[in-house]
């Protein structure tokens, strides 16, 4: 459009027109803008019409065309913006009419128990009716509780600083490598009263630490649940019956346990305990690697040295103990392929595990 014949102030206003139009946020503002540009009196358009009347004859044609061009551009712009603003007004009105003040507000997201804690609590719930109570031990332990009291020899590889977090060399202080030191603490504490109590039984869930690199099946911190029973004439059959009962309670009536001989210094005999794969029922799947069984526990009959260390006469008392890997079991049951998921607290994972609303 040729603006050379148009007075400078009008040309400038035209250049600002587009942004003035976009800035008109509602219909009232738009009407004011309309008055300013194309109103009957005092507008830019009215001024230009006066100019046209007084213009020299030979300029009239060109000036008239320029004025028409401007007026059309303004009118079209104003109209288009009016359509937009009217639609927006309608939308707002209909939204407002849809708002129902009687509807309850959306529920805030609720937190929930972590899947590992839930599994540990379930195990505690299974054992409580059998007379087991819950014990806790410190995560910073002494070598005496973590190793000596458990009949673990001086030269055992687990004692090395390659596997165990020590606070200072020769300090005797470490991060416990298993929940078994709780056995030593509880036996020592209750030894003086064992006759009166008629025996000892407890469960000890908690965190343990080992110098393992983080990968899909290892973490330097993980969880175990320790279980122990001491009484008169306790044998493998009691251990087998108890674990068989517990696994059925945990995994369903079809659950079965199988014992394989194994070695742990604090039990004799010792066993690794498998459960019939809760996912395939024993038919063989990826989780049990086709064998139909998965290992979840270490167990055995309490070594006489463990009882003696705590001041309990092993000729009178005997017992069993077991230790379960919590992450291992949780991964298997939930088919979680990577242990790290339990520690990242990604809400999508926790939700999928049924841990969040
Ligand atoms: N403390 C053992 C570990 O961390 C697990 C274990 C094995 C615990 C046998 C026991 C047991 O109580 O009897 O590998």
């Amino acid at each position: 459009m040729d603006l050379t014949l148009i007075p400078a102030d009008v040309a400038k206003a035209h250049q600002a027109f587009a942004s003035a139009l976009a800035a008109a946020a509602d219909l009232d503002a738009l009407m004011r803008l309309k008055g300013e540009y194309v109103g009957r009196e005092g507008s830019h358009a009215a001024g230009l019409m006066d100019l046209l009347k007084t213009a020299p004859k030979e300029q009239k044609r060109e000036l008239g065309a320029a004025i028409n061009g401007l007026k059309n551009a303004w009118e079209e712009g104003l109209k288009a913006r009016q359509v937009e603003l009217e639609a927006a007004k309608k939308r707002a009105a209909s939204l407002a009419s849809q708002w129902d003040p009687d509807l309850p507000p959306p529920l805030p997201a609720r937190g929930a128990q972590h899947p590992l804690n839930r599994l540990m609590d379930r195990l505690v719930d299974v054992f409580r009716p059998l007379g087991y109570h819950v014990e806790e031990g410190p995560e910073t332990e002494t070598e005496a509780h973590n190793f000596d009291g458990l009949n673990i020899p001086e030269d055992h590889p687990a004692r090395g600083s390659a596997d165990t977090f020590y606070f200072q060399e020769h300090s005797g202080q470490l991060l416990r490598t298993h929940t078994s030191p709780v056995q030593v603490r509880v036996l020592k504490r209750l030894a003086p009263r064992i006759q009166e109590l008629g025996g000892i039984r407890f469960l000890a869930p908690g965190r343990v630490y080992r110098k393992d690199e983080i990968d899909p099946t290892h973490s330097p911190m993980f969880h175990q649940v320790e279980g122990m029973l001491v009484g008169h004439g306790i044998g493998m059959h009691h251990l087998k019956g108890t674990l068989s009962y517990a696994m059925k309670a945990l995994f369903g009536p079809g659950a079965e346990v199988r014992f394989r001989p194994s070695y742990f210094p604090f039990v004799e005999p010792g066993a690794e305990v498998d459960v019939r794969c809760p996912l395939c029922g024993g038919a063989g799947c990826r989780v049990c690697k086709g064998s139909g069984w998965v290992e979840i526990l270490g167990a055995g009959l309490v070594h006489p040295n463990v009882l003696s260390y705590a001041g309990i006469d092993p000729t009178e008392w005997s017992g069993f103990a077991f230790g379960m890997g919590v992450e291992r079991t949780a991964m298997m049951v939930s088919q979680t392929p990577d242990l790290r998921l339990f520690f990242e607290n990604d809400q999508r994972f926790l939700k999928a595990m049924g841990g969040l609303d």
Side-chain angles (χ1 to χ4, degrees):
M1 194 181 315
D2 181 9
L3 296 180
T4 49
L5 298 172
I6 303 295
D9 60 328
V10 181
K12 220 171 175 175
H14 174 65
Q15 259 134 31
F17 177 71
S19 42
L21 195 63
D26 54 34
L27 288 166
D28 285 346
L30 190 72
M31 287 308 125
R32 281 196 296 277
L33 198 65
K34 193 171 176 178
E36 199 181 311
Y37 276 82
V38 297
R40 218 173 265 281
E41 275 168 37
S43 69
H44 293 304
L48 288 169
M49 290 318 285
D50 292 345
L51 185 71
L52 185 62
K53 274 182 214 152
T54 59
K57 217 174 165 195
E58 61 281 10
Q59 271 188 12
K60 277 204 177 173
R61 234 171 67 96
E62 245 182 295
L63 184 60
I67 289 172
N68 265 336
L70 276 182
K71 269 187 73 181
N72 286 342
W74 293 338
E75 269 161 2
E76 274 167 35
L78 288 161
K79 190 138 204 176
R81 183 76 181 131
Q82 187 171 348
V83 170
E84 263 174 39
L85 288 174
E86 274 168 357
K89 193 174 169 183
K90 248 194 175 145
R91 265 200 310 278
S94 99
L95 268 183
S97 72
Q98 275 168 21
W99 182 65
D100 182 348
D102 291 334
L103 283 176
L107 286 175
R110 275 198 293 166
Q113 217 183 5
H114 190 277
L116 293 178
N117 286 334
R118 218 164 48 229
L119 178 58
M120 288 191 280
D121 275 8
R122 269 177 64 196
L123 204 67
V124 167
D125 286 346
V126 168
F127 276 89
R128 233 189 254 283
L130 304 181
Y132 289 67
H133 67 272
V134 174
E135 289 280 356
E136 267 182 324
E139 290 170 27
T140 56
E141 258 301 3
T142 60
E143 245 178 295
H145 288 126
N146 197 80
F147 296 126
D148 301 341
L150 291 165
N151 195 40
I152 297 174
E154 285 288 340
D155 57 356
H156 194 282
R159 286 193 179 232
S161 57
D163 293 327
T164 300
F165 289 107
Y166 285 91
F167 282 85
Q168 261 163 23
E169 238 181 308
H170 311 303
S171 67
Q173 291 283 332
L174 46 79
L175 287 176
R176 68 179 180 190
T177 59
H178 49 178
T179 42
S180 304
V182 184
Q183 292 185 21
V184 183
R185 288 180 173 273
V186 175
L187 290 181
K188 274 190 355 191
R189 193 183 80 229
L190 297 181
R193 295 204 290 135
I194 193 166
Q195 297 294 348
E196 159 202 345
L197 295 169
I200 294 170
R201 49 193 137 171
F202 68 87
L203 228 53
R207 291 196 188 103
V208 301
Y209 301 84
R210 284 183 203 172
K211 277 193 185 169
D212 283 325
E213 293 294 330
I214 300 177
D215 71 20
T217 55
H218 293 89
S219 156
M221 186 282 291
F222 57 101
H223 298 77
Q224 290 184 335
V225 177
E226 194 80 11
M228 183 177 224
L229 178 143
V230 175
H232 291 295
I234 300 302
M236 274 315 248
H237 53 309
H238 294 109
L239 172 61
K240 229 174 161 170
T242 303
L243 288 182
S244 168
Y245 168 82
M247 293 305 118
K248 282 188 205 312
L250 204 57
F251 298 121
E256 269 181 84
V257 292
R258 168 175 97 166
F259 282 54
R260 285 178 290 108
S262 185
Y263 176 73
F264 301 98
F266 33 95
V267 282
E268 182 59 36
E272 275 169 339
V273 183
D274 301 335
V275 291
R276 179 96 59 196
C277 179
L279 289 175
C280 66
C285 69
R286 210 170 43 85
V287 170
C288 61
K289 300 192 183 75
S291 74
W293 297 91
V294 282
E295 184 204 322
I296 60 166
L297 287 145
L301 295 187
V302 183
H303 196 287
N305 289 352
V306 173
L307 294 173
S308 314
Y309 184 93
I312 293 171
D313 180 1
T315 61
E316 186 186 346
W317 300 93
S318 56
F320 64 67
F322 58 87
M324 185 179 99
V326 178
E327 280 79 359
R328 213 167 209 286
T329 308
M331 282 172 79
M332 184 192 62
V333 175
S334 61
Q335 290 201 61
T336 301
D338 194 323
L339 166 119
R340 290 170 289 195
L341 286 163
F342 287 106
F343 303 127
E344 284 165 358
N345 280 338
D346 184 321
Q347 301 239 334
R348 291 165 298 183
F349 172 71
L350 296 176
K351 259 190 186 147
M353 295 290 288
L356 291 173
D357 292 337

